[in-house]
Amino acid sequence: MEAGGSVAGGGARVSAPAPAGARGAPPTEDRPIVVKVGGAEGVDLDAVATDVAELWVEGRRVVLVHGGSAETNRIAEALGHPPRFVTSPSGHVSRYTDRATLEVFEMVYAGKVNKGLVERLQRRGAPAVGLSGLDGRLFEGRHKRSVRSVEGGKTIVLHGDHTGTVDRVNVHLLLLLLGHGYLPVLTPPGASEEGVAINVDGDRAAAAVAVALGAEALLLLSNVPGLLARFPDPSSLIDHVPAADVRRFLDVAEGRMKKKVLGAAEAVAGGVRRVVLGDARTATPVRDALGGRGTVVA
Amino acid sequence: MEAGGSVAGGGARVSAPAPAGARGAPPTEDRPIVVKVGGAEGVDLDAVATDVAELWVEGRRVVLVHGGSAETNRIAEALGHPPRFVTSPSGHVSRYTDRATLEVFEMVYAGKVNKGLVERLQRRGAPAVGLSGLDGRLFEGRHKRSVRSVEGGKTIVLHGDHTGTVDRVNVHLLLLLLGHGYLPVLTPPGASEEGVAINVDGDRAAAAVAVALGAEALLLLSNVPGLLARFPDPSSLIDHVPAADVRRFLDVAEGRMKKKVLGAAEAVAGGVRRVVLGDARTATPVRDALGGRGTVVA
């Protein structure tokens, strides 16, 4: 993971414990928090916005990253272009993003959900600025044009896919906004090296942002209490995962949680001291996660 | 029209002819051009993006503002919430924007069209950043909550309207982006003083941006050749309107052109030296308008 652009301050990456203020990094409390809220059913965007705005007004720097998957599926269905999910030979399930799907994706993620969050934050006094990963190539990476799909026991290749990875974060643009008092609200898609829109994973994009900004913490909030030893039993919550061991927990994670554990692993490997996999359905989801409720990776 | 935020340079408003470089303003060629492209059928967004990207790469500073009305109508129909237009007692036709319409509006304007233009510009080498008027309250104004509508000879009042005016432009954020090499791509909605999303007129928003930035020129491009004396006869194009007389031409303008003439009047009154009402259906629409093709208000 590489931080692109010129780093104008505050973007130092800490890959080993260091005293606050060392190596040019600001003191811990000035390091931003990166909050990712998923787009699954049940997440409370009003509660997330209330917490984020309050933290901002209290003087914390926050970057909010969000998804929009459930709403994208609903709108795509309504427009007569239902979502298509593919299963790779290794068993990984992902959205097949042809051009028409990408446009619905942009409408929901960068339009409805992003501007809905920006509006909620503005109404609560936080000067939010909403951007997709295309804008200023905030999330830049490789375009994967085809995907292998196992269908009826056979593996077929689907072309025209618009997915990719986040290999670089435009930390220059993020620091420009943060440094001038704006709260960035970020969402997929990203941009390929050729400038083409690509569907990128929001959790891993948030992890890349946290690494690039040297974030104090990364909070990955969704519609489950955290990492569960016996999904979906909430009493099986794993409350702590040692940072060095996080990849071992990839096998424990079910479905969407796999990407969150992967994001957590990438964040701690990149110097983020604490990742919390938390619940976005509570009354104060950001404060709860910041206080350690959920699965703490540290 | 007031320019909000602190003006960090280059944002001086020139309300009377002044030599280039006077009153703290940059030389003419460094003053930005504001290009507005409408969302009506027939406009060529590829051609607009090609021209804008080329001008940018040549060293011109450009701000692009866009609409999305025709596509909004299509998506709203497809989602089972067809557009509703109301006629005011004075004969003015406008879109009634209830909350559901506003969300479709945001999907199309801030999602599909905005990110589509950002992608086109990125692919052509211009570092575009797409924002709505909600973001950083770029377009801020008053929220009009109800609208009078003449229906069947009677005037009724419709509540729950989300429309408004652009009274302030966040010139601080625009100059921050322009000053650091980013090309702003702007779109309605705007934000009310309470932070609520409001549907604002794109032509008048573009005029407000041009005034706030002290733009060299404002180009208002749509799917007609310019202001026509006998609409829709293209041979009746009015090629020049003296700036002092522009409001007299409000009676000549038909339909959507009225807002463009009003925007032109507001721009020249605010110190913009030249407004061109041009055609967005040609191969080089921005260069054509910049070269004086269309109706020049100066």
Side-chain angles (χ1 to χ4, degrees):
Chain A
M1 202 68 60
E2 182 194 327
S6 63
V7 179
R13 225 184 302 167
V14 180
S15 54
R23 303 175 64 183
T28 303
E29 63 271 26
D30 284 350
R31 300 164 74 96
I33 301 160
V34 176
V35 179
K36 160 70 177 21
V37 58
E41 303 290 355
V43 303
D44 187 343
L45 297 184
D46 283 318
V48 169
T50 298
D51 271 7
V52 167
E54 283 180 8
L55 287 166
W56 185 270
V57 169
E58 287 165 16
R60 299 297 295 255
R61 294 200 299 167
V62 187
V63 175
L64 182 59
V65 184
H66 67 85
S69 53
E71 184 68 8
T72 296
N73 295 347
R74 266 194 297 273
I75 300 282
E77 290 275 3
L79 293 175
H81 192 80
R84 179 171 177 183
F85 292 93
V86 298
T87 304
S88 74
S90 61
H92 173 66
V93 177
S94 65
R95 185 191 296 273
Y96 171 61
T97 310
D98 60 9
R99 192 74 205 181
T101 300
L102 182 77
E103 289 183 357
V104 175
F105 186 96
E106 289 182 341
M107 287 202 291
V108 176
Y109 279 68
K112 186 172 184 176
V113 181
N114 190 267
K115 298 320 164 199
L117 276 167
V118 168
E119 185 186 20
R120 286 178 179 90
L121 290 164
Q122 293 278 0
R123 293 185 71 168
R124 289 161 174 83
V129 169
L131 296 167
S132 77
L134 267 173
D135 299 300
R137 301 196 186 201
L138 267 170
F139 305 153
E140 195 186 49
R142 273 153 301 150
H143 180 183
K144 206 158 150 269
R145 289 177 176 77
S146 61
V147 60
R148 289 198 297 161
S149 174
V150 179
E151 294 180 17
K154 284 185 185 166
T155 298
I156 62 166
V157 177
L158 293 170
H159 296 285
D161 199 20
H162 282 264
T163 61
T165 51
V166 180
D167 300 325
R168 279 171 300 282
V169 169
N170 182 347
V171 73
H172 171 266
L173 180 54
L174 291 179
L175 291 174
L176 190 66
L177 292 170
L178 285 167
H180 288 82
Y182 296 107
L183 192 168
V185 181
L186 311 181
T187 186
S192 76
E193 283 142 13
E194 298 78 29
V196 174
I198 50 175
N199 181 359
V200 298
D201 181 69
D203 292 311
R204 297 178 70 186
V209 167
V211 169
L213 290 174
E216 184 211 333
L218 167 65
L219 313 178
L220 297 174
L221 310 180
S222 64
N223 63 349
V224 290
L227 180 61
L228 304 175
R230 297 176 305 278
F231 181 84
D233 176 5
S235 74
S236 70
L237 178 72
I238 297 167
D239 61 6
H240 181 247
V241 170
D245 291 349
V246 60
R247 281 182 186 271
R248 284 205 301 115
F249 287 79
L250 278 169
D251 292 338
V252 177
E254 297 277 337
R256 285 291 311 157
M257 187 52 73
K258 263 194 208 308
K259 288 286 176 75
K260 294 181 198 301
V261 173
L262 201 54
E266 289 166 350
V268 293
V272 177
R273 292 183 205 166
R274 198 161 59 113
V275 181
V276 184
L277 309 174
D279 198 329
R281 300 168 303 173
T282 69
T284 53
V286 180
R287 288 188 187 274
D288 289 351
L290 208 52
R293 185 166 158 181
T295 301
V296 177
V297 181
Chain B
M1 202 69 64
E2 183 193 328
S6 63
V7 180
R13 227 184 300 166
V14 181
S15 54
R23 303 176 63 183
T28 302
E29 63 272 24
D30 283 350
R31 301 163 74 97
I33 302 160
V34 176
V35 179
K36 159 70 177 21
V37 58
E41 302 289 354
V43 303
D44 187 342
L45 296 183
D46 284 318
V48 169
T50 298
D51 271 8
V52 167
E54 283 180 9
L55 287 166
W56 185 270
V57 170
E58 287 166 15
R60 298 298 295 255
R61 295 199 299 166
V62 188
V63 174
L64 181 60
V65 184
H66 68 85
S69 54
E71 184 68 8
T72 296
N73 295 347
R74 267 195 296 272
I75 300 282
E77 289 275 3
L79 293 175
H81 192 79
R84 179 171 176 184
F85 292 93
V86 297
T87 305
S88 74
S90 61
H92 174 66
V93 177
S94 65
R95 185 192 295 273
Y96 172 61
T97 311
D98 60 9
R99 192 74 206 183
T101 300
L102 181 77
E103 290 183 357
V104 175
F105 187 95
E106 289 182 340
M107 286 201 292
V108 176
Y109 279 68
K112 187 172 184 176
V113 181
N114 190 267
K115 299 319 164 200
L117 276 166
V118 167
E119 185 185 20
R120 285 177 178 91
L121 289 164
Q122 293 278 0
R123 293 185 70 167
R124 289 161 174 84
V129 169
L131 296 167
S132 77
L134 268 173
D135 299 300
R137 300 197 186 199
L138 267 169
F139 305 153
E140 195 186 48
R142 273 153 300 151
H143 180 183
K144 206 159 149 269
R145 288 177 177 77
S146 60
V147 62
R148 289 198 296 161
S149 174
V150 179
E151 294 180 18
K154 285 186 184 163
T155 298
I156 61 166
V157 177
L158 293 170
H159 296 285
D161 198 20
H162 282 265
T163 62
T165 50
V166 179
D167 300 324
R168 280 170 299 281
V169 169
N170 182 347
V171 73
H172 170 265
L173 180 54
L174 291 179
L175 291 175
L176 189 66
L177 292 169
L178 284 168
H180 289 82
Y182 296 107
L183 192 167
V185 181
L186 312 180
T187 185
S192 76
E193 283 142 13
E194 298 78 29
V196 174
I198 50 175
N199 181 359
V200 298
D201 181 69
D203 292 311
R204 297 178 70 187
V209 168
V211 169
L213 289 174
E216 184 211 334
L218 167 66
L219 313 179
L220 297 174
L221 310 180
S222 65
N223 63 349
V224 289
L227 180 59
L228 304 175
R230 295 175 306 279
F231 180 84
D233 176 5
S235 75
S236 70
L237 178 72
I238 298 168
D239 61 6
H240 181 246
V241 169
D245 290 349
V246 60
R247 280 182 186 271
R248 285 205 301 114
F249 287 79
L250 277 169
D251 292 338
V252 177
E254 297 276 337
R256 285 290 312 155
M257 187 52 74
K258 263 194 208 307
K259 288 286 176 79
K260 293 181 199 302
V261 174
L262 200 54
E266 290 166 348
V268 293
V272 177
R273 292 182 204 166
R274 199 162 57 114
V275 181
V276 184
L277 309 173
D279 198 329
R281 299 167 302 174
T282 69
T284 53
V286 179
R287 288 188 186 276
D288 290 351
L290 208 52
R293 184 165 159 182
T295 300
V296 177
V297 182

